[in-house]
Amino acid sequence: MSTDTVAPAAAKPLSLRRILPPIVTGQEIVLLGVLVILWVLLGIFTPAFLTPASIGPLLVQVAPIALIGVGMTFVIITAGIDVSVAAMIMVSAVTTARMLVAFDIPAIAAVLVAIVIGAALGAINGFLIAYGRVHPIIITFGTANLFQWLGLRVFDSSTVNGIPSTLEFFGRGGAGSTLGVPHSFAIAVIAVAAAWWFLRYAKAGRNLYAIGGNQNAARLAGIKVQPRLVWVYVVTGALAGLAACMVIATGTATLDQSVGSGKELQVIAAVVIGGTSILGGRGSVVGTLLGAILVQTVVSGVTQLGWPTQLGFLFVGIFILVAVGTDLIRERTRRRA
């Protein structure tokens, strides 16, 4: 019998990286750097930008974009897309607002109504995409028009007036913030943190990357692709419903038919700029949060500098093109390697 002994492997020294995994990496660090530079420049040229009176409303505007962006990140990671979120906001917001006016329901009931409506609309998208085998942009473009028609029917060709302040917890002002931090933004950050953990450590979260990378391979590996796809669209719809409550709270006591308009483009811009690959299989909710802050910073900065509003679209468009171009170059490089 051999008397040789095997020396125990040297224990790797503990490091901060092993104990606390990095939250921001790669493109997110670049994005964070761009944000810091932008805030410094805006602080120099418009000193009012870095005051609580300016930052608070900016974070309130960021909140619904970042919140829906969590669901949209899941969707795009699976190589999908959802252009119907603005219509979901419209249906959820107008239905909830009408119930607040007619029945004066409590805040928790209003929030649940909005979330359930959004989730139901998301489920329609999910089932059609998962089991209809049609490209998500075709399905969600079609349902966006259907949802918008439904919302206009609920509006009944008029605005909703006299909305009570039941949802002020999500709004601007003292009732909508604690220690200067808007509640709506804090909720969005909590959602991002939960989604970050889910994508990084939960098996179901890691499965989303596998589905986006190669759906057939994921299916052969035993992943239940269809239920996962339905789930990501339901989550996106539910978050759109919650975001509708924020939109109601940050507006006036009147809701008109333009509610939610353009939000789908802002959300997709935040996700793409945040580093999530439009080809699927790669993405980060932390990047989405940074992307949402960047988009709103550009829009607010252009306004405070007194520049034409159109320049905001130009700058955001440039950021999107740079992000998508970088993603495509990275993907080609990876395939050649």
Side-chain angles (χ1 to χ4, degrees):
M1 178 182 292
S2 172
T3 58
D4 292 345
T5 58
V6 178
K12 293 182 179 179
L14 286 176
S15 64
L16 182 62
R17 187 183 179 88
R18 291 183 62 198
I19 299 171
L20 185 64
I23 295 177
V24 290
T25 57
Q27 188 164 326
E28 297 154 10
I29 293 176
V30 176
L31 200 54
L32 197 56
V34 172
L35 265 176
V36 170
I37 293 171
L38 266 180
W39 279 47
V40 169
L41 290 176
L42 287 170
I44 293 172
F45 291 105
T46 58
F49 180 81
L50 293 180
T51 61
S54 177
I55 294 176
L58 186 148
L59 296 181
V60 169
Q61 295 297 324
V62 165
I65 304 302
L67 192 64
I68 304 173
V70 169
M72 189 68 80
T73 304
F74 290 169
V75 166
I76 295 181
I77 283 175
T78 61
I81 197 164
D82 189 342
V83 297
S84 68
V85 290
M88 289 186 196
I89 292 175
M90 182 189 185
V91 176
S92 301
V94 66
T95 307
T96 305
R98 282 213 173 277
M99 294 188 73
L100 284 168
V101 172
F103 306 109
D104 196 19
I105 58 176
I108 186 66
V111 171
L112 287 175
V113 165
I115 290 176
V116 169
I117 291 173
L121 299 179
I124 294 172
N125 282 337
F127 275 104
L128 290 174
I129 291 166
Y131 295 99
R133 305 290 180 90
V134 180
H135 195 283
I137 196 168
I138 303 298
I139 294 292
T140 56
F141 185 69
T143 55
N145 285 276
L146 291 175
F147 297 161
Q148 192 169 21
W149 171 83
L150 179 62
L152 291 173
R153 293 290 295 175
V154 180
F155 263 114
D156 195 22
S157 302
S158 64
T159 58
V160 181
N161 299 308
I163 302 172
S165 58
T166 309
L167 296 175
E168 63 181 357
F169 178 83
F170 297 109
R172 298 189 182 98
S177 64
T178 299
L179 300 176
V181 179
H183 297 150
S184 55
F185 183 73
I187 291 170
V189 171
I190 291 170
V192 167
W196 177 83
W197 179 90
F198 173 75
L199 288 172
R200 190 178 185 92
Y201 295 109
K203 182 180 178 182
R206 295 194 298 274
N207 285 347
L208 299 186
Y209 290 107
I211 292 171
N214 188 321
Q215 197 172 116
N216 289 329
R219 190 175 288 108
L220 292 173
I223 297 173
K224 296 179 179 177
V225 174
Q226 275 89 356
R228 295 279 190 276
L229 290 178
V230 174
W231 180 84
V232 296
Y233 286 93
V234 169
V235 168
T236 304
L239 293 175
L242 181 55
C245 295
M246 297 177 179
V247 172
I248 294 173
T250 53
T252 63
T254 298
L255 201 68
D256 63 32
Q257 297 176 6
S258 66
V259 59
S261 177
K263 282 286 189 295
E264 76 279 21
L265 298 180
Q266 295 178 26
V267 172
I268 293 171
V271 174
V272 173
I273 292 173
T276 296
S277 173
I278 201 71
L279 301 174
R282 189 174 63 252
S284 157
V285 288
V286 175
T288 297
L289 175 62
L290 295 174
I293 296 174
L294 177 61
V295 169
Q296 197 56 46
T297 295
V298 170
V299 173
S300 298
V302 166
T303 302
Q304 294 198 23
L305 286 167
W307 292 353
T309 309
Q310 297 88 334
L311 284 178
F313 298 113
L314 173 65
F315 294 142
V316 172
I318 291 172
F319 279 121
I320 292 173
L321 291 176
V322 170
V324 171
T326 304
D327 179 43
L328 293 177
I329 292 171
R330 183 190 303 155
E331 181 64 19
R332 287 178 183 175
T333 304
R334 187 185 66 82
R335 289 183 180 181
R336 289 173 182 172

